[in-house]
Amino acid sequence: MKQILFLILLLCIIRTDHVHAQNPNSRIDSVLPVRGLAIEAPEKDGMDLFLRFIEEKLLSVTS
């Protein structure tokens, strides 16, 4: 009996995930939102490259 209930539950989970994944209007960030980002502090020599990355790539995504 437990095995049958487990199989039914497993099939329900797989079925709903499949339907949600096939929806073209769903965005991945609504399912797995990014809450933060950890970046190691750069050395002195790489500071301008780091700041350019922040300004050009990260700020353009959040705008």
Side-chain angles (χ1 to χ4, degrees):
M1 184 67 179
K2 288 182 182 180
Q3 291 175 342
I4 293 173
L5 289 175
F6 177 74
L7 287 175
I8 291 172
L9 179 64
L10 185 63
L11 288 174
C12 288
I13 291 171
I14 291 172
R15 182 72 179 147
T16 56
D17 285 344
H18 177 70
V19 169
H20 185 70
Q22 295 298 321
N23 184 359
N25 295 328
S26 68
R27 294 186 49 168
I28 189 67
D29 57 346
S30 67
V31 178
L32 299 169
V34 175
R35 303 277 186 211
L37 178 65
I39 301 177
E40 183 179 358
E43 298 290 327
K44 259 186 178 180
D45 298 339
M47 185 58 85
D48 19 335
L49 180 63
F50 177 74
L51 292 175
R52 191 166 12 133
F53 168 73
I54 297 290
E55 292 169 354
E56 293 176 3
K57 301 297 181 181
L58 293 183
L59 292 180
S60 67
V61 172
T62 59
S63 298

